[in-house]
Amino acid sequence: MSKHTRQEQMEAFGRVLDVMDTLRARCPWDSKQTNQSLKSNTIEEVYELYDALSREDSPEICKELGDVLMHVVFYSIFAREKGAFDIVDVCDRLCDKLKFRHPHIYGQVSAETAEQVEDNWEVLKRKEKGGNRTVLSGVPVSLPTLVKAYRIQDKARHVGFDWERREQVWDKVKEEIREFEVEVEHMDADKAESELGDVLFSLINAARLYHINPDNALDRTNRKFISRFNYLESQTLSKGRNLKDMTLEEMDAIWDEAKKKGL
């Protein structure tokens, strides 16, 4: 796909605004939407974009970005109708924020590495909010728990609350696993749940320290398991058998076939 000029980009965005205004005025479905009616759909669209990004599927990424953009414009229309703000305010606020948080580009601050940029970003975010917010108050409550744990740990890192050496985290991981095993042995479900949370939190911390995205890692494993299990199921059905009638050893043999095929 050829690169479009800035004028073409501006015209394309203008067409989006024109189409959305027309739909809002004339379509029975679009005209009745609100922040509350649309917000669940927005979450779904973002996850669909996430799926396309995970597959590096460029046509789908393009499509899903369009869907997300539609929602951004939709919410701006709702706000404009209430007299709160419009798409110009959204763009202006974004530009102002980006310039403020990149003083190494638009100011006199020095930042030579990505890590320095991230550290400055967190400090500037707190200043931007008036300076009276806590370090962790910027973590959205509704974030998925795995992502939230990573963000909590990362924010704490920016103020120096972190391991001196990343290798130290493994002692913590092992400690949490031992504590979990003890509670499982005692058959205390409540305490076992709490300790399992500590195990997961420590493993996410280890992933962060070794620059591994735990959400991506788990997603890869999920997709790998689905692929191998689908192979197991299809091979079983092709032989006229049912998974429930097979032994674990028989299933493991087919599972190993899937692994050898690279599934």
Side-chain angles (χ1 to χ4, degrees), residues 171-185:
D171 288 335
K172 186 62 175 175
V173 170
K174 294 171 185 175
E175 173 190 328
E176 298 297 355
I177 291 174
R178 287 194 298 271
E179 291 177 357
F180 173 57
E181 290 175 334
V182 168
E183 298 305 336
V184 169
E185 287 293 325

PDB file of all heavy atoms in Angstrom, residues 171-185:
ATOM      1  N   ASP A 171      14.446 -16.098  44.382  1.00  0.00           N
ATOM      2  CA  ASP A 171      14.259 -16.526  45.769  1.00  0.00           C
ATOM      3  C   ASP A 171      12.834 -16.226  46.224  1.00  0.00           C
ATOM      4  O   ASP A 171      12.221 -17.016  46.956  1.00  0.00           O
ATOM      5  CB  ASP A 171      15.257 -15.812  46.686  1.00  0.00           C
ATOM      6  CG  ASP A 171      16.676 -16.327  46.502  1.00  0.00           C
ATOM      7  OD1 ASP A 171      16.826 -17.487  46.066  1.00  0.00           O
ATOM      8  OD2 ASP A 171      17.630 -15.570  46.786  1.00  0.00           O
ATOM      9  N   LYS A 172      12.310 -15.087  45.788  1.00  0.00           N
ATOM     10  CA  LYS A 172      10.937 -14.716  46.146  1.00  0.00           C
ATOM     11  C   LYS A 172       9.937 -15.654  45.478  1.00  0.00           C
ATOM     12  O   LYS A 172       8.960 -16.083  46.112  1.00  0.00           O
ATOM     13  CB  LYS A 172      10.667 -13.270  45.712  1.00  0.00           C
ATOM     14  CG  LYS A 172       9.315 -12.732  46.160  1.00  0.00           C
ATOM     15  CD  LYS A 172       9.195 -12.697  47.675  1.00  0.00           C
ATOM     16  CE  LYS A 172       7.907 -12.051  48.125  1.00  0.00           C
ATOM     17  NZ  LYS A 172       7.728 -12.117  49.599  1.00  0.00           N
ATOM     18  N   VAL A 173      10.173 -15.990  44.232  1.00  0.00           N
ATOM     19  CA  VAL A 173       9.283 -16.916  43.524  1.00  0.00           C
ATOM     20  C   VAL A 173       9.238 -18.265  44.239  1.00  0.00           C
ATOM     21  O   VAL A 173       8.164 -18.825  44.492  1.00  0.00           O
ATOM     22  CB  VAL A 173       9.740 -17.106  42.057  1.00  0.00           C
ATOM     23  CG1 VAL A 173       8.960 -18.250  41.399  1.00  0.00           C
ATOM     24  CG2 VAL A 173       9.547 -15.811  41.269  1.00  0.00           C
ATOM     25  N   LYS A 174      10.407 -18.781  44.587  1.00  0.00           N
ATOM     26  CA  LYS A 174      10.484 -20.078  45.272  1.00  0.00           C
ATOM     27  C   LYS A 174       9.811 -20.015  46.643  1.00  0.00           C
ATOM     28  O   LYS A 174       9.131 -20.962  47.062  1.00  0.00           O
ATOM     29  CB  LYS A 174      11.943 -20.505  45.412  1.00  0.00           C
ATOM     30  CG  LYS A 174      12.619 -20.809  44.074  1.00  0.00           C
ATOM     31  CD  LYS A 174      14.111 -21.016  44.237  1.00  0.00           C
ATOM     32  CE  LYS A 174      14.792 -21.203  42.885  1.00  0.00           C
ATOM     33  NZ  LYS A 174      16.264 -21.291  43.015  1.00  0.00           N
ATOM     34  N   GLU A 175      10.019 -18.898  47.353  1.00  0.00           N
ATOM     35  CA  GLU A 175       9.385 -18.726  48.668  1.00  0.00           C
ATOM     36  C   GLU A 175       7.863 -18.756  48.556  1.00  0.00           C
ATOM     37  O   GLU A 175       7.182 -19.427  49.339  1.00  0.00           O
ATOM     38  CB  GLU A 175       9.837 -17.391  49.271  1.00  0.00           C
ATOM     39  CG  GLU A 175       9.128 -17.017  50.567  1.00  0.00           C
ATOM     40  CD  GLU A 175       9.424 -15.591  50.979  1.00  0.00           C
ATOM     41  OE1 GLU A 175      10.536 -15.087  50.706  1.00  0.00           O
ATOM     42  OE2 GLU A 175       8.530 -14.949  51.575  1.00  0.00           O
ATOM     43  N   GLU A 176       7.344 -18.054  47.556  1.00  0.00           N
ATOM     44  CA  GLU A 176       5.885 -17.997  47.388  1.00  0.00           C
ATOM     45  C   GLU A 176       5.314 -19.361  46.988  1.00  0.00           C
ATOM     46  O   GLU A 176       4.229 -19.742  47.436  1.00  0.00           O
ATOM     47  CB  GLU A 176       5.505 -16.950  46.341  1.00  0.00           C
ATOM     48  CG  GLU A 176       5.904 -15.523  46.685  1.00  0.00           C
ATOM     49  CD  GLU A 176       5.214 -14.988  47.931  1.00  0.00           C
ATOM     50  OE1 GLU A 176       4.334 -15.682  48.495  1.00  0.00           O
ATOM     51  OE2 GLU A 176       5.556 -13.880  48.363  1.00  0.00           O
ATOM     52  N   ILE A 177       6.048 -20.104  46.173  1.00  0.00           N
ATOM     53  CA  ILE A 177       5.596 -21.445  45.778  1.00  0.00           C
ATOM     54  C   ILE A 177       5.547 -22.365  46.999  1.00  0.00           C
ATOM     55  O   ILE A 177       4.588 -23.134  47.178  1.00  0.00           O
ATOM     56  CB  ILE A 177       6.507 -22.033  44.677  1.00  0.00           C
ATOM     57  CG1 ILE A 177       6.305 -21.263  43.366  1.00  0.00           C
ATOM     58  CG2 ILE A 177       6.209 -23.523  44.473  1.00  0.00           C
ATOM     59  CD1 ILE A 177       7.253 -21.679  42.260  1.00  0.00           C
ATOM     60  N   ARG A 178       6.585 -22.287  47.856  1.00  0.00           N
ATOM     61  CA  ARG A 178       6.597 -23.117  49.057  1.00  0.00           C
ATOM     62  C   ARG A 178       5.408 -22.783  49.965  1.00  0.00           C
ATOM     63  O   ARG A 178       4.765 -23.682  50.509  1.00  0.00           O
ATOM     64  CB  ARG A 178       7.918 -22.914  49.820  1.00  0.00           C
ATOM     65  CG  ARG A 178       9.127 -23.563  49.167  1.00  0.00           C
ATOM     66  CD  ARG A 178      10.308 -23.624  50.131  1.00  0.00           C
ATOM     67  NE  ARG A 178      10.738 -22.289  50.549  1.00  0.00           N
ATOM     68  CZ  ARG A 178      11.640 -21.560  49.901  1.00  0.00           C
ATOM     69  NH1 ARG A 178      12.221 -22.042  48.812  1.00  0.00           N
ATOM     70  NH2 ARG A 178      11.987 -20.372  50.354  1.00  0.00           N
ATOM     71  N   GLU A 179       5.120 -21.492  50.126  1.00  0.00           N
ATOM     72  CA  GLU A 179       4.002 -21.082  50.974  1.00  0.00           C
ATOM     73  C   GLU A 179       2.669 -21.554  50.387  1.00  0.00           C
ATOM     74  O   GLU A 179       1.749 -21.944  51.119  1.00  0.00           O
ATOM     75  CB  GLU A 179       4.008 -19.562  51.146  1.00  0.00           C
ATOM     76  CG  GLU A 179       5.191 -19.066  51.976  1.00  0.00           C
ATOM     77  CD  GLU A 179       5.237 -17.554  52.085  1.00  0.00           C
ATOM     78  OE1 GLU A 179       4.369 -16.883  51.472  1.00  0.00           O
ATOM     79  OE2 GLU A 179       6.141 -17.036  52.777  1.00  0.00           O
ATOM     80  N   PHE A 180       2.565 -21.541  49.081  1.00  0.00           N
ATOM     81  CA  PHE A 180       1.355 -22.033  48.418  1.00  0.00           C
ATOM     82  C   PHE A 180       1.199 -23.534  48.653  1.00  0.00           C
ATOM     83  O   PHE A 180       0.100 -24.023  48.971  1.00  0.00           O
ATOM     84  CB  PHE A 180       1.426 -21.725  46.922  1.00  0.00           C
ATOM     85  CG  PHE A 180       0.321 -22.336  46.112  1.00  0.00           C
ATOM     86  CD1 PHE A 180      -1.018 -22.069  46.399  1.00  0.00           C
ATOM     87  CD2 PHE A 180       0.610 -23.187  45.052  1.00  0.00           C
ATOM     88  CE1 PHE A 180      -2.038 -22.630  45.647  1.00  0.00           C
ATOM     89  CE2 PHE A 180      -0.404 -23.751  44.293  1.00  0.00           C
ATOM     90  CZ  PHE A 180      -1.731 -23.470  44.588  1.00  0.00           C
ATOM     91  N   GLU A 181       2.290 -24.277  48.515  1.00  0.00           N
ATOM     92  CA  GLU A 181       2.254 -25.729  48.723  1.00  0.00           C
ATOM     93  C   GLU A 181       1.801 -26.069  50.146  1.00  0.00           C
ATOM     94  O   GLU A 181       1.031 -27.017  50.345  1.00  0.00           O
ATOM     95  CB  GLU A 181       3.635 -26.331  48.460  1.00  0.00           C
ATOM     96  CG  GLU A 181       4.030 -26.316  46.990  1.00  0.00           C
ATOM     97  CD  GLU A 181       5.449 -26.812  46.775  1.00  0.00           C
ATOM     98  OE1 GLU A 181       6.275 -26.699  47.726  1.00  0.00           O
ATOM     99  OE2 GLU A 181       5.755 -27.296  45.672  1.00  0.00           O
ATOM    100  N   VAL A 182       2.264 -25.288  51.121  1.00  0.00           N
ATOM    101  CA  VAL A 182       1.883 -25.531  52.519  1.00  0.00           C
ATOM    102  C   VAL A 182       0.382 -25.388  52.695  1.00  0.00           C
ATOM    103  O   VAL A 182      -0.273 -26.229  53.325  1.00  0.00           O
ATOM    104  CB  VAL A 182       2.629 -24.556  53.458  1.00  0.00           C
ATOM    105  CG1 VAL A 182       2.019 -24.606  54.865  1.00  0.00           C
ATOM    106  CG2 VAL A 182       4.106 -24.893  53.520  1.00  0.00           C
ATOM    107  N   GLU A 183      -0.191 -24.322  52.149  1.00  0.00           N
ATOM    108  CA  GLU A 183      -1.627 -24.084  52.318  1.00  0.00           C
ATOM    109  C   GLU A 183      -2.458 -25.112  51.558  1.00  0.00           C
ATOM    110  O   GLU A 183      -3.545 -25.492  52.003  1.00  0.00           O
ATOM    111  CB  GLU A 183      -1.990 -22.668  51.871  1.00  0.00           C
ATOM    112  CG  GLU A 183      -1.311 -21.573  52.670  1.00  0.00           C
ATOM    113  CD  GLU A 183      -1.545 -21.690  54.172  1.00  0.00           C
ATOM    114  OE1 GLU A 183      -2.553 -22.302  54.583  1.00  0.00           O
ATOM    115  OE2 GLU A 183      -0.711 -21.176  54.938  1.00  0.00           O
ATOM    116  N   VAL A 184      -1.945 -25.569  50.419  1.00  0.00           N
ATOM    117  CA  VAL A 184      -2.654 -26.630  49.682  1.00  0.00           C
ATOM    118  C   VAL A 184      -2.657 -27.914  50.502  1.00  0.00           C
ATOM    119  O   VAL A 184      -3.665 -28.622  50.585  1.00  0.00           O
ATOM    120  CB  VAL A 184      -1.997 -26.863  48.303  1.00  0.00           C
ATOM    121  CG1 VAL A 184      -2.560 -28.131  47.655  1.00  0.00           C
ATOM    122  CG2 VAL A 184      -2.223 -25.659  47.390  1.00  0.00           C
ATOM    123  N   GLU A 185      -1.527 -28.214  51.137  1.00  0.00           N
ATOM    124  CA  GLU A 185      -1.434 -29.402  51.985  1.00  0.00           C
ATOM    125  C   GLU A 185      -2.389 -29.305  53.170  1.00  0.00           C
ATOM    126  O   GLU A 185      -2.974 -30.303  53.597  1.00  0.00           O
ATOM    127  CB  GLU A 185       0.002 -29.574  52.488  1.00  0.00           C
ATOM    128  CG  GLU A 185       0.983 -30.036  51.434  1.00  0.00           C
ATOM    129  CD  GLU A 185       0.695 -31.456  50.970  1.00  0.00           C
ATOM    130  OE1 GLU A 185       0.257 -32.281  51.792  1.00  0.00           O
ATOM    131  OE2 GLU A 185       0.895 -31.732  49.774  1.00  0.00           O
TER     132      GLU A 185
END
